[in-house]
Amino acid sequence: GAYDTIAPRSARGAELPSTAGNAPRGASDSRSSRRLRRKAVLRDMATEFFARVTQGVALYLVDVRTGSTFPCTFRVDERFELGHLSTPWSEYAVRLVDLDEPRRGRSVAKVFPELHSATDCVLLRSRHVASCFLFRFPESQAAKSFATCMSILLLSVRIAAGGSGRGERSPRGAAREKAS
């Protein structure tokens, strides 16, 4: 389906070795190697996602009032400034720098307690406009991959806009915004 392509081809079906637990002496090279492999997998996943999201990613939007799901497409413009959500009945646009960090799992269930299961959902909210988008995925791993890629995308957008990457803008970025 449309969701199984969110993870990079090189990482599909492959588990990364766990770095948890106490490592024996001399294992720092092994940990470093695993960390570098994990970074490479995340970089590949984000790069593939960035290319796909400019074309449009097919998702399911949840109507939070009824719990019904509808097909939609989420697309980012070529300049990585706006996110566009197209549904069968309308289109929404939101500035990417205005989006909060994607939420999934328990943090979604806190916002929408009426959801029976939130592990397969990702919530995107705008902090300046009263809008939020709740997406449902066929499995929790696809939701996790989408949330991870969106987090990387939003971090990149905020850093490029002159912010710290943590959601707040630097004074220089805020001054530029006021001047325009």
Side-chain angles (χ1 to χ4, degrees):
Y3 308 100
D4 61 358
T5 58
I6 291 175
R9 287 178 185 84
S10 60
R12 286 188 199 124
E15 292 279 327
L16 290 174
S18 172
T19 57
N22 293 333
R25 206 180 224 173
S28 64
D29 289 341
S30 177
R31 277 195 303 262
S32 176
S33 175
R34 283 191 294 257
R35 188 173 55 247
L36 289 174
R37 280 194 308 258
R38 179 156 171 70
K39 278 184 172 181
V41 167
L42 286 172
R43 182 191 63 234
D44 292 347
M45 185 170 75
T47 300
E48 185 178 319
F49 179 76
F50 290 5
R52 286 186 49 247
V53 78
T54 57
Q55 301 302 311
V57 177
L59 302 169
Y60 285 98
L61 182 66
V62 178
D63 181 334
V64 294
R65 293 171 302 217
T66 65
S68 301
T69 58
F70 302 94
C72 68
T73 302
F74 182 74
R75 182 181 59 79
V76 174
D77 70 334
E78 296 286 331
R79 296 178 66 194
F80 291 94
E81 293 176 351
L82 294 175
H84 300 272
L85 181 71
S86 301
T87 67
W89 55 90
S90 60
E91 181 160 329
Y92 304 92
V94 62
R95 290 175 9 133
L96 294 176
V97 294
D98 292 339
L99 287 176
D100 280 331
E101 190 70 20
R103 297 177 184 254
R104 58 182 205 87
R106 286 189 203 130
S107 59
V108 172
K110 286 180 184 177
V111 177
F112 299 108
E114 63 276 5
L115 288 176
H116 298 292
S117 170
T119 60
D120 59 348
C121 294
V122 174
L123 177 65
L124 291 179
R125 289 196 298 193
S126 172
R127 57 178 92 107
H128 300 296
V129 180
S131 61
C132 68
F133 305 107
L134 183 63
F135 302 111
R136 181 164 300 237
F137 295 82
E139 59 188 35
S140 61
Q141 183 57 43
K144 181 179 179 181
S145 294
F146 180 80
T148 300
C149 290
M150 281 302 298
S151 292
I152 294 168
L153 174 69
L154 295 175
L155 176 68
S156 301
V157 166
R158 287 186 191 110
I159 290 171
S164 69
R166 296 187 187 266
E168 64 273 358
R169 289 183 194 81
S170 69
R172 189 176 63 152
R176 264 195 313 240
E177 193 171 283
K178 281 183 181 178
S180 54

